[in-house]
């Protein structure tokens, strides 16, 4: 039989095989795209991996998500939820500015508190909430090719306690954490199934730095790698997780990170705050602790997430430190009438390098509330305020200035703010 008729058939088969191969090559890319969530919206992710305590996972991906983005895990307080953390903090807005991804874990148990007390939670891979959160991170890393060197945890109250636990259980996963009103790793430990530890919450559990450090090291025996840095926040009048826990956290994390308990630097970034840094003096010290005089348990306020972001190092494109004290100058004046005022603020870069992206923090005098502003976005409207650059004035060259301002109501005190900090560092006020 002649072979001539078979040649066209062989050509057709080869063509079909080529098309099939091309389709198979394209399939993984298409699959990866179907896994990605809508941008600029909080989205629940299901089936994200091992999840022994039935947590929910919510994810926020900004429109301008970067290639290989950083990941921030933002952990809610008792009675809270992932959506509540999304709505009540600035992490999504900061993600819009800097292009990172935010994971919001959400508890489904009745207390809506995270498990920071069971033996399973206090051991790497032991089970319970930390394992579920680790699965959320893995899903996000795989889906978005996230930068595994830039994964961070932060939380408020129960979420702050979980931040301590996550950094202890998974020191190889996290680069840093920021805990707002928490307790040391292991302080809440119980063996009777209880979620609450009254001795710890009351601030009566004390250990030596070595003992606290040993609790962290026991969560991942044999680990000798780099440990994540820690930023700690606490109010002196906290009546839920008493203030002594703040000192115990400092003892623990300075020991874990192998730095002196004597501060390398102490300053007052704004009125009533005392900030101590251990092991270094810059914005990315191994341990940073902020004590808020006269403040209770509900200490979290607008602008604090931006300070945590500076500590993480996510508000700049490289490893260079933020401007140091004396590298900025602020002049502020007000023009007042019976119940209102306008304020004019001039920010000058007195350093030798350009500032790319800025946040100017200050505290409004009591009774003042911002009603509108220009040259920046202002959040919140009263108390400790952070002004974030507009798109057109985010870069300030050496010796250059930007002018911003706002209009505010007042109840008698029409003075301008007395102190300012730029990207977490104090400015000279004039």
């Amino acid at each position: 039989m002649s072979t001539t008729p078979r040649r066209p058939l062989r050509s057709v088969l080869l063509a079909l095989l080529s098309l099939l191969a091309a389709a198979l090559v394209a399939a993984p890319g298409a699959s990866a795209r179907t896994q990605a969530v809508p941008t600029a919206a909080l989205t629940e992710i299901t089936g994200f991996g091992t999840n022994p305590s039935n947590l929910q996972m919510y994810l926020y991906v900004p429109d301008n998500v970067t290639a290989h983005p950083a990941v921030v895990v933002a952990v809610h307080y008792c009675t809270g939820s992932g959506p509540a953390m999304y709505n009540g903090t600035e992490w999504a807005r900061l993600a819009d500015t800097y292009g990172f991804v935010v994971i919001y874990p959400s508890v489904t148990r009745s207390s809506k508190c995270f498990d920071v007390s069971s033996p399973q939670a206090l051991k790497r891979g032991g089970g319970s909430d930390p394992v579920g959160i680790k699965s959320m991170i893995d899903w996000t890393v795989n889906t978005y090719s996230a930068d595994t060197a830039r994964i961070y945890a932060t939380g408020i109250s129960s979420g702050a306690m979980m931040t301590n636990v996550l950094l202890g259980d998974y020191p190889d996963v996290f680069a840093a954490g920021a805990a707002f009103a928490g307790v040391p790793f292991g302080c809440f430990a119980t063996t009777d199934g209880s979620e609450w530890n009254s001795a710890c919450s009351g601030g009566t559990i004390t250990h030596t730095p070595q003992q606290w450090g040993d609790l962290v090291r026991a969560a991942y025996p044999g680990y000798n790698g780099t440990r994540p840095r820690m930023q700690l926040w606490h109010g002196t009048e906290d009546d839920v997780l008493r203030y002594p826990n703040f000192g115990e956290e400092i003892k623990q994390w300075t020991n874990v990170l192998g730095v002196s308990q004597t501060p390398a630097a102490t300053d007052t970034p704004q009125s009533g705050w005392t900030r101590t840094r251990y092991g270094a003096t810059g914005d990315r010290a191994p341990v940073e602790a902020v004590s808020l005089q006269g403040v209770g348990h509900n200490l979290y306020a607008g602008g604090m997430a931006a300070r945590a972001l500076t500590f993480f190092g996510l508000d700049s494109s490289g490893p260079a430190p933020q401007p140091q004290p004396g590298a900025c100058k602020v002049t502020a004046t007000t023009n007042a009438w019976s119940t209102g005022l306008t304020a004019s603020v001039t920010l000058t870069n007195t350093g030798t390098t350009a500032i790319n992206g800025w946040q100017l923090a200050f505290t409004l005098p009591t009774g003042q509330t911002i009603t509108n502003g220009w040259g920046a976005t202002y959040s919140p409207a009263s108390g400790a305020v952070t002004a974030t650059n507009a798109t057109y004035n985010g870069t300030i060259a050496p010796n250059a200035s930007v002018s911003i301002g706002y209009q505010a109501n007042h109840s008698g005190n029409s003075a301008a703010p007395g102190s300012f900090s730029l990207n977490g560092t104090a400015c000279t006020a004039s």
Side-chain angles (χ1 to χ4, degrees):
M1 180 181 293
S2 172
T3 59
T4 303
R6 296 181 182 177
R7 287 174 184 158
L9 179 60
R10 185 162 56 247
S11 299
V12 171
L13 289 173
L14 288 173
L16 289 173
L17 288 172
S18 297
L19 289 171
L20 179 60
L24 289 173
V25 169
S31 175
R33 285 192 293 273
T34 61
Q35 290 178 339
V37 305
T39 58
L42 186 68
T43 305
E44 183 175 5
I45 306 298
T46 59
F48 51 83
T50 304
N51 184 21
S53 54
N54 195 33
L55 297 178
Q56 292 174 292
M57 174 186 176
Y58 292 89
L59 192 71
Y60 182 81
V61 180
D63 284 332
N64 64 332
V65 61
T66 61
H68 309 297
V71 177
V72 173
V73 181
V75 194
H76 68 74
Y77 42 88
C78 282
T79 74
S81 66
M85 194 72 174
Y86 165 77
N87 289 314
T89 65
E90 307 98 321
W91 286 108
R93 178 177 61 79
L94 292 169
D96 288 336
T97 301
Y98 297 105
F100 57 85
V101 175
V102 189
I103 298 171
Y104 297 93
S106 197
V107 169
T108 58
R109 65 176 63 88
S110 60
S111 68
K112 298 301 176 69
C113 296
F114 284 91
D115 176 14
V116 295
S117 57
S118 74
Q120 292 78 19
L122 299 174
K123 180 180 179 182
R124 177 187 179 84
S128 197
D129 296 347
V131 168
I133 294 173
K134 174 62 164 55
S135 295
M136 298 177 195
I137 295 168
D138 291 342
W139 186 95
T140 305
V141 168
N142 291 335
T143 303
Y144 289 94
S145 298
D147 185 350
T148 56
R150 295 190 300 147
I151 297 175
Y152 305 87
T154 185
I156 303 169
S157 189
S158 178
M161 293 191 277
M162 178 52 72
T163 297
N164 278 266
V165 169
L166 289 172
L167 267 60
D169 284 358
Y170 296 101
D172 54 330
V173 172
F174 294 95
F180 294 85
V183 303
F185 178 100
C187 184
F188 243 60
T190 59
T191 56
D192 60 1
S194 173
E195 294 181 36
W196 192 257
N197 185 318
S198 296
C200 178
S201 65
T204 62
I205 294 181
T206 60
H207 292 311
T208 66
Q210 182 69 34
Q211 289 169 332
W212 279 124
D214 287 344
L215 287 176
V216 171
R217 288 182 283 269
Y220 187 5
Y223 177 72
N224 293 313
T226 302
R227 294 277 178 175
R229 298 176 299 110
M230 177 63 94
Q231 183 186 62
L232 305 165
W233 299 70
H234 221 101
T236 61
E237 301 304 314
D238 193 324
D239 59 354
V240 176
L241 301 173
R242 297 286 183 178
Y243 187 66
N245 283 301
F246 180 58
E248 299 302 298
E249 284 180 294
I250 293 172
K251 287 158 61 175
Q252 182 172 67
W253 290 104
T254 52
N255 179 267
V256 168
L257 287 157
V259 299
S260 172
Q261 290 180 65
T262 301
T266 301
D267 65 358
T268 304
Q270 67 182 57
S271 178
W273 293 16
T274 300
R275 177 172 60 187
T276 48
R277 287 167 166 167
Y278 303 83
T281 60
D283 289 334
R284 301 176 201 174
V287 179
E288 179 173 285
V290 185
S291 173
L292 282 66
Q293 182 64 39
V295 176
H297 186 61
N298 296 323
L299 64 80
Y300 183 84
M304 290 182 178
R307 293 178 181 272
L309 198 75
T310 296
F311 178 76
F312 292 166
L314 290 182
D315 59 353
S316 61
S317 59
Q322 296 297 312
Q324 295 301 303
C328 52
K329 180 179 73 173
V330 176
T331 301
T333 60
T334 58
N335 182 20
W337 58 94
S338 57
T339 59
L341 63 87
T342 58
S344 297
V345 180
T346 301
L347 167 62
T348 302
N349 176 10
T350 57
T352 58
T353 59
I355 297 169
N356 295 306
W358 53 265
Q359 292 184 318
L360 186 68
F362 55 90
T363 300
L364 289 175
T366 301
Q368 291 187 17
T369 302
I370 294 175
T371 55
N372 62 76
W374 50 92
T377 56
Y378 300 82
S379 179
S382 61
V385 177
T386 298
T388 302
N389 66 270
T391 55
Y392 61 84
N393 64 5
T395 299
I396 312 176
N399 299 315
S401 300
V402 296
S403 294
I404 63 174
Y406 56 86
Q407 183 171 331
N409 296 327
H410 70 83
S411 58
N413 185 349
S414 60
S419 61
F420 298 83
S421 62
L422 176 65
N423 293 345
T425 299
C427 295
T428 300
S430 62

